[in-house]
Amino acid sequence: MVGVAEPSVRPAGAARIWASALSATAMLTVVALMTRGNGPAVRAQIDSAVWWYLARSSGLVAWVLLGASVVGGLLLATQLTWGCMRTWTQGLHEGVGALAVVFTAIHLASVLAADQLRIGLRELLVPFARPDNPVAQGCGVLAAYLLTAVALTSWARALLPWRWWRRLHLLTFPLFGLACAHTVLAGSDTTYPILHWVSLLVGVVILFLAAFRLLAARPAGTAAAVPTGLQEGIPAPLVPRPASPAAAPTTVRTGMRLLITQTTWEADNVLSLRLHSPDGAPLPSWEPGAHIELALPSGRRRQYSLCSDPDDIRSYRIAVLQVPVGRGGSVEVHTGARAGQLITVQGPRNHFPLVPSTAYLFIAGGIGITAMMAIAARVASAGGEWKLVYTGRCRASMAFIDEVCALDPDRVDVVPGDERERPDLDALIGATLPGTVIYCCGPDRLLQAVQDRVAARPELSLHSERFTATATATADGGGAAFQVELHRTECVIDVPADRTLLQAIREFLPSVPAGCEQGICGACRTTVLAGEPEHRDQLLSSADRAAGAMLMCVSRARSERLILDL
Ligand code: FES
């Protein structure tokens, strides 16, 4: 994965900002020119020939920009771009599309102002109203209306059900066709060879991408997996498919089918996904600290913290750090997840809940900030005492810095490793008031360092969340053989030394719940009714363990037999 040089400037966001500024400027110019009081005076000062040249050039530029935006949109839809390239393509698609609107506005204004064209408001607004060359004029007016519809619905995209937006966005194709017809039939420049070459190039690229998109959109077996009404014009769904036994759990579990409506490059190698219900229905509510589990096409299941606003259940947001030498889940999300795909999601579940306290210290390392954001936001909105220390390799690798600082810049300490010394944990935890609850999420080294310091301060309480298993929490078995009795199923199973408890139980209970199989997510939690478990996870608290909880994916037995509530 190639990193973004300056990820704090989001390409798509930046494009929207400058495109809005240009659009506003162009609209103001149009209004100024058309205003009854000043309009004629302004127009009179400019030679009519200038308006005519402006009309021709702005029309051609708008047409080229529209073609470029269509190409960008098709590149996004065909999944021929990925990673930061994809985000830049998205920014380009949106920015160039907005510029096309700007130049169309300039074209309309200058057409109106150019006396020799003899076009009034009626010809500008009513299709086929011009006696000479009505087809060219009609195509132009209809294209302008379609462009307005596409532009407005794109700006209001977050407010619309995804399906409506998608269908309206497909109007871009007739819009571009009408714009081409208008350019060819009404233009005064169609004899220039450069125009022919540009139109040929744009046309070939669009046709190729559209054909590729249509062929790639319906691989065998895919259509049936997509709900009716969503099969038209969306990328292949990101749904689980059979995978090798090593990669995929054999359990069959259902979940919500959610739509990826947005992917955003948040920092170097950090991609966020926005998920909505396909029909726009509210999603299950969640509390700060919760995570969801994605079922990836390879069969992998991965858990990601929810880092959106828990009060807004129209959508979920997660952020994924790509780990090239990891177990493959993050790479699969980065290279495979696209807006418009469906993905199976389980949860939300919460093993990192916000506990009541009068004071909090949040320590986040790198992508660990995602587990902390909603918790810190809830504490900040409640007006409690809190401080957040956010460390990372460098500013470019740290996602959501602006969002986190916006909670309260005075309480958030951002520590990029290439700008400042790493936080002095001895001083930080040493100065923490008794009774403070410490939340920590990040790399193992950070968690261990915090854990060691908090161990010396029993009046503090530490809540931490891991993203990877520790050396003791492995899913490859390892240990003595033992027997497990499933109390409700009424069977006894041998667990050999080289298999995990979960693997052994699955043969009898294929639907037994599981997720990460690393002792991280808590999906395989069960209750021990008798026997002595050997806990190998880092998730369960001592209170959980005392209450009989056990994670079947990594933990084993010290006694010869365990009786589980299964
Ligand atoms: Fe995730 Fe066991 S499957 S903790």
Side-chain angles (χ1 to χ4, degrees):
M1 169 65 68
V2 183
V4 179
E6 182 49 76
S8 58
V9 178
R10 294 178 203 162
R16 270 194 286 270
I17 290 167
W18 62 257
S20 334
L22 277 172
S23 305
T25 311
M27 291 305 170
L28 285 174
T29 309
V30 174
V31 169
L33 286 174
M34 298 306 126
T35 307
R36 278 174 183 267
N38 298 328
V42 174
R43 287 209 300 271
Q45 287 171 19
I46 302 174
D47 192 288
S48 179
V50 174
W51 290 117
W52 185 57
Y53 282 116
L54 188 60
R56 287 163 58 188
S57 55
S58 57
L60 286 174
V61 172
W63 175 72
V64 170
L65 289 170
L66 191 59
S69 184
V70 172
V71 169
L74 279 167
L75 275 175
L76 292 170
T78 50
Q79 306 186 33
L80 288 173
T81 56
W82 57 90
C84 61
M85 189 71 165
R86 180 174 178 79
T87 312
W88 281 101
T89 306
Q90 175 126 13
L92 210 66
H93 168 62
E94 294 177 6
V96 168
L99 270 183
V101 175
V102 172
F103 275 88
T104 303
I106 296 172
H107 176 64
L108 294 176
S110 46
V111 157
L112 206 53
D115 292 336
Q116 62 266 60
L117 291 176
R118 297 187 310 280
I119 288 180
L121 270 181
R122 183 167 172 274
E123 286 79 14
L124 205 65
L125 298 175
V126 182
F128 311 106
R130 197 175 181 198
D132 57 320
N133 208 350
V135 177
Q137 180 260 350
C139 290
V141 173
L142 291 175
Y145 283 133
L146 289 183
L147 182 63
T148 308
V150 170
L152 288 178
T153 50
S154 294
W155 286 107
R157 177 177 167 175
L159 305 173
L160 295 172
W162 183 87
R163 207 182 312 184
W164 291 13
W165 170 80
R166 179 74 198 178
R167 284 178 179 163
L168 284 164
H169 212 63
L170 289 175
L171 289 176
T172 308
F173 292 104
L175 153 63
F176 188 61
L178 286 167
C180 288
H182 175 70
T183 307
V184 169
L185 296 173
S188 310
D189 304 290
T190 48
T191 52
Y192 290 115
I194 179 78
L195 192 72
H196 296 165
W197 285 112
V198 170
S199 41
L200 191 66
L201 182 69
V202 174
V204 167
V205 172
I206 287 178
L207 280 178
F208 169 77
L209 290 174
F212 184 87
R213 171 72 187 83
L214 285 173
L215 292 174
R218 292 179 179 80
T222 295
V226 185
T228 310
L230 284 173
Q231 296 176 7
E232 284 291 317
I234 66 170
L238 199 60
V239 295
R241 61 171 181 255
S244 68
T250 52
T251 47
V252 177
R253 284 177 289 152
T254 56
M256 297 177 281
R257 302 288 303 282
L258 299 187
L259 192 63
I260 303 173
T261 50
Q262 192 175 346
T263 59
T264 306
W265 201 245
E266 304 288 358
D268 271 355
N269 289 334
V270 178
L271 184 75
S272 73
L273 307 185
R274 180 70 69 172
L275 305 167
H276 282 82
S277 166
D279 60 2
L283 300 173
S285 59
W286 58 283
E287 285 298 310
H291 67 266
I292 54 172
E293 180 180 278
L294 302 189
L296 301 175
S298 63
R300 295 181 179 98
R301 292 179 176 270
R302 293 292 180 269
Q303 298 73 37
Y304 298 103
S305 297
L306 289 167
C307 56
S308 42
D309 177 2
D311 293 330
D312 179 4
I313 51 171
R314 286 174 305 170
S315 69
Y316 294 151
R317 183 180 64 174
I318 56 170
V320 181
L321 169 70
Q322 179 169 250
V323 185
V325 291
R327 293 178 298 138
S330 64
V331 174
E332 190 173 343
V333 171
H334 272 246
T335 54
R338 299 286 182 268
Q341 289 173 330
L342 290 166
I343 187 165
T344 302
V345 171
Q346 287 205 315
R349 300 190 194 106
N350 198 344
H351 302 300
F352 198 46
L354 176 60
V355 297
S357 177
T358 51
Y360 297 88
L361 171 62
F362 303 108
I363 304 173
I367 195 65
I369 191 66
T370 54
M372 215 74 83
M373 288 169 67
I375 298 179
R378 176 67 59 85
V379 170
S381 69
E385 189 57 43
W386 64 281
K387 178 181 172 68
L388 191 155
V389 179
Y390 179 16
T391 70
R393 192 166 37 84
C394 57
R395 211 168 269 275
S397 69
M398 299 168 71
F400 306 119
I401 289 182
D402 294 347
E403 246 176 83
V404 174
C405 287
L407 294 176
D408 186 342
D410 296 335
R411 293 174 188 269
V412 175
D413 189 13
V414 176
V415 190
D418 62 343
E419 293 177 19
R420 291 171 52 191
E421 288 288 315
R422 291 198 177 280
D424 181 347
L425 291 178
D426 288 320
L428 184 67
I429 294 172
T432 303
L433 295 173
T436 300
V437 169
I438 301 177
Y439 279 84
C440 183
C441 189
D444 273 355
R445 206 180 49 240
L446 176 69
L447 294 184
Q448 195 56 54
V450 171
Q451 206 169 317
D452 292 345
R453 272 123 187 126
V454 174
R457 298 274 316 267
E459 74 278 17
L460 304 177
S461 91
L462 174 64
H463 298 258
S464 56
E465 188 165 69
R466 288 180 188 275
F467 289 139
T468 54
T470 58
T472 52
T474 55
D476 55 2
F482 60 99
Q483 280 190 328
V484 61
E485 181 180 329
L486 308 186
H487 180 65
R488 281 180 281 133
T489 314
E490 295 181 348
C491 69
V492 177
I493 302 167
D494 288 323
V495 183
D498 62 348
R499 305 204 76 194
T500 65
L501 174 58
L502 181 65
Q503 287 166 348
I505 292 176
R506 264 196 197 132
E507 300 207 344
F508 290 84
L509 275 183
S511 61
V512 66
C516 65
E517 301 195 28
Q518 288 210 312
I520 301 171
C521 72
C524 64
R525 178 174 169 149
T526 189
T527 305
V528 180
L529 300 176
E532 187 186 354
E534 179 193 344
H535 295 287
R536 294 185 174 189
D537 66 278
Q538 297 285 326
L539 181 70
L540 297 179
S541 65
S542 40
D544 291 332
R545 292 176 181 181
M550 175 187 192
L551 300 184
M552 295 180 286
C553 62
V554 291
S555 297
R556 301 185 68 80
R558 288 191 204 285
S559 52
E560 286 185 1
R561 179 179 283 205
L562 283 182
I563 303 179
L564 301 182
D565 185 23
L566 282 173

